[in-house]
Amino acid sequence: MDSPLVPFGRPPTERADAARNREVLLCTARAMIAELGADHVTMDGLAERAGLGKGTVFRRFGTRAGIFRALLDAEERRFQCEVLSGPPPLGPGGDPVDRLIAYGRARTRFLLERHEIARASFERKGVAPPAVGPNFSRPHIRMLLAQAALGLPDLDTLSLQLASALEGPALLFLVADLPPGGRAAGCAEDDLGALLADGWQTLVERIARR
Amino acid sequence: MDSPLVPFGRPPTERADAARNREVLLCTARAMIAELGADHVTMDGLAERAGLGKGTVFRRFGTRAGIFRALLDAEERRFQCEVLSGPPPLGPGGDPVDRLIAYGRARTRFLLERHEIARASFERKGVAPPAVGPNFSRPHIRMLLAQAALGLPDLDTLSLQLASALEGPALLFLVADLPPGGRAAGCAEDDLGALLADGWQTLVERIARR
């Protein structure tokens, strides 16, 4: 399923120059977003600043939204890498309930911090992508619930519901019509992030209570 | 917010004949969906069967998807009415934790049973509507959590997360590409419904455990 929040397969073999162009383009796009905001990143502007031809940008990303999907893809991979092999409490090694709490906190921050990129990755304004779903969160939550051995029945369903509890509010924030302007959006995002992270912790602590 | 799962305001004053036409059209649409499936309901077919002019159908619903939105709107009102004033355990009067469990069970069934209509209410195929959200579920869950007095902090956030846990999986099912054919879809829907209802009950019981 192609989704801005979920990696879609990169071609397994990528020629060295294509890989280098890709890295240069993503790096440049990141810098432009930080400087100008996502709204001001265009295919032409990106090509010019990266010193590459427009054809290269077009072949690589297809559409403007494709730039942002590729960025999210790269950041999602980095996030998953931290979760799967970084230090505890997010990475392996600690108590599974602590890890579940740390995961939800990190995931909330990840989703909200990237909401501008995620929004720009939609092909049409005001429309959620078809397959934004807890595709990584669900199996990860399921694994941690199993490790924690809490005596819960049907971890398949429960992990789907908890992944929805975790990712659903961030998705609603994503598709909501917010006032434009990075700073105002940034504030709402920080507040919401803290509330959702604490709410997630409450939920997990209650579920894990013996 | 206009959404197929959330009532949007009907004009406060509706002329008697307009109201009657509306009822006839919705009633006819329901019968046609049951007989033929949502895919075979068209503006022309509906007008003919209801014995009304095409102009009336067009003025009332705007687009084909509008028919299904109006149907969902009507059914959502009926559902909310049951929740707000029907008999316990769904309606008022019983233990708030039991009511919370009953609510999740009823809501899951409601969402899944109407997935064909909900899907047909999207203007474009494979695209989720912008504002499908737990708009009724959230305040209702919040109220019941408050009544249950479980010592939980920040019910605003927790009710949002639980509403997402409840409605998110049904929404994923809704936008997923399923094989066509009512019977096959009906099966998947029954199985999923039972699993989600039990999962919701587990979740609530854990949260409410003293």
Side-chain angles (χ1 to χ4, degrees), chain A residues 124 126-128 130 132-134 150-154 157-158 160-162 164-165 168-169 172 175 195-196 199-200 202-203 206-207 209-210, chain B residues 124 126-128 130 132-134 150-154 157-158 160-162 164-165 168-169 172 175 195-196 199-200 202-203 206-207 209-210:
Chain A
R124 283 182 292 262
V127 173
V132 171
L150 301 167
L152 292 160
D154 190 10
T157 302
L158 210 61
L160 173 61
Q161 292 172 317
L162 287 176
S164 296
L172 286 179
V175 297
L195 294 174
L196 290 176
W200 171 258
T202 300
L203 209 54
R206 283 275 171 152
I207 290 166
R209 207 165 48 163
R210 290 178 198 274
Chain B
R124 282 183 293 262
V127 173
V132 171
L150 301 167
L152 292 160
D154 191 9
T157 302
L158 210 61
L160 173 61
Q161 292 172 317
L162 287 176
S164 296
L172 287 178
V175 297
L195 294 173
L196 291 176
W200 171 259
T202 300
L203 209 54
R206 283 276 170 153
I207 290 166
R209 208 164 48 165
R210 291 176 198 273

Side-chain angles (χ1 to χ4, degrees), chain A residues 112-176:
Chain A
L112 292 180
E113 278 177 2
R114 280 152 194 84
H115 83 270
E116 214 194 343
I117 304 179
R119 208 173 296 194
S121 76
F122 301 167
E123 292 289 343
R124 283 182 292 262
K125 278 222 157 154
V127 173
V132 171
N135 291 276
F136 175 71
S137 288
R138 184 188 183 182
H140 189 64
I141 290 170
R142 196 199 180 292
M143 183 196 73
L144 295 175
L145 287 175
Q147 283 180 3
L150 301 167
L152 292 160
D154 190 10
L155 297 185
D156 286 333
T157 302
L158 210 61
S159 59
L160 173 61
Q161 292 172 317
L162 287 176
S164 296
L166 179 57
E167 308 222 339
L171 177 60
L172 286 179
F173 178 76
L174 200 60
V175 297

Side-chain angles (χ1 to χ4, degrees), chain B:
Chain B
M1 280 190 291
D2 275 14
S3 143
L5 300 182
V6 173
F8 40 87
R10 210 193 314 180
T13 54
E14 195 175 37
R15 280 188 8 236
D17 57 341
R20 196 177 52 239
N21 283 350
R22 180 189 155 87
E23 282 316 308
V24 168
L25 285 168
L26 290 184
C27 204
T28 308
R30 239 176 245 124
M32 289 178 78
I33 291 168
E35 265 174 52
L36 311 168
D39 282 355
H40 293 95
V41 176
T42 61
M43 305 275 276
D44 285 357
L46 179 59
E48 195 184 317
R49 177 129 162 198
L52 290 166
K54 286 182 201 178
T56 306
V57 179
F58 185 81
R59 268 195 308 279
R60 173 52 72 183
F61 299 120
T63 62
R64 183 178 172 277
I67 300 171
F68 297 97
R69 273 201 303 278
L71 265 179
L72 275 180
D73 177 19
E75 308 223 334
E76 179 78 35
R77 281 166 197 272
R78 204 181 305 165
F79 174 78
Q80 293 181 8
C81 188
E82 260 180 68
V83 171
L84 296 174
S85 55
L90 185 59
D95 174 72
V97 172
D98 291 342
R99 204 177 166 198
L100 195 51
I101 291 170
Y103 177 74
R105 289 191 162 277
R107 187 72 186 164
T108 298
R109 203 168 48 242
F110 176 85
L111 293 174
L112 293 179
E113 279 176 1
R114 279 149 194 85
H115 82 270
E116 213 194 343
I117 303 178
R119 208 174 296 193
S121 76
F122 300 168
E123 290 290 343
R124 282 183 293 262
K125 277 222 157 155
V127 173
V132 171
N135 291 276
F136 174 71
S137 287
R138 183 188 185 181
H140 189 64
I141 290 170
R142 195 198 182 294
M143 182 196 73
L144 294 176
L145 287 175
Q147 284 180 2
L150 301 167
L152 292 160
D154 191 9
L155 297 186
D156 286 333
T157 302
L158 210 61
S159 58
L160 173 61
Q161 292 172 317
L162 287 176
S164 296
L166 178 58
E167 307 221 340
L171 178 60
L172 287 178
F173 177 77
L174 200 61
V175 297
D177 257 332
L178 290 175
R183 193 164 297 260
C187 280
E189 173 197 314
D190 289 348
D191 294 349
L192 183 65
L195 294 173
L196 291 176
D198 289 348
W200 171 259
Q201 178 158 352
T202 300
L203 209 54
V204 173
E205 283 172 351
R206 283 276 170 153
I207 290 166
R209 208 164 48 165
R210 291 176 198 273

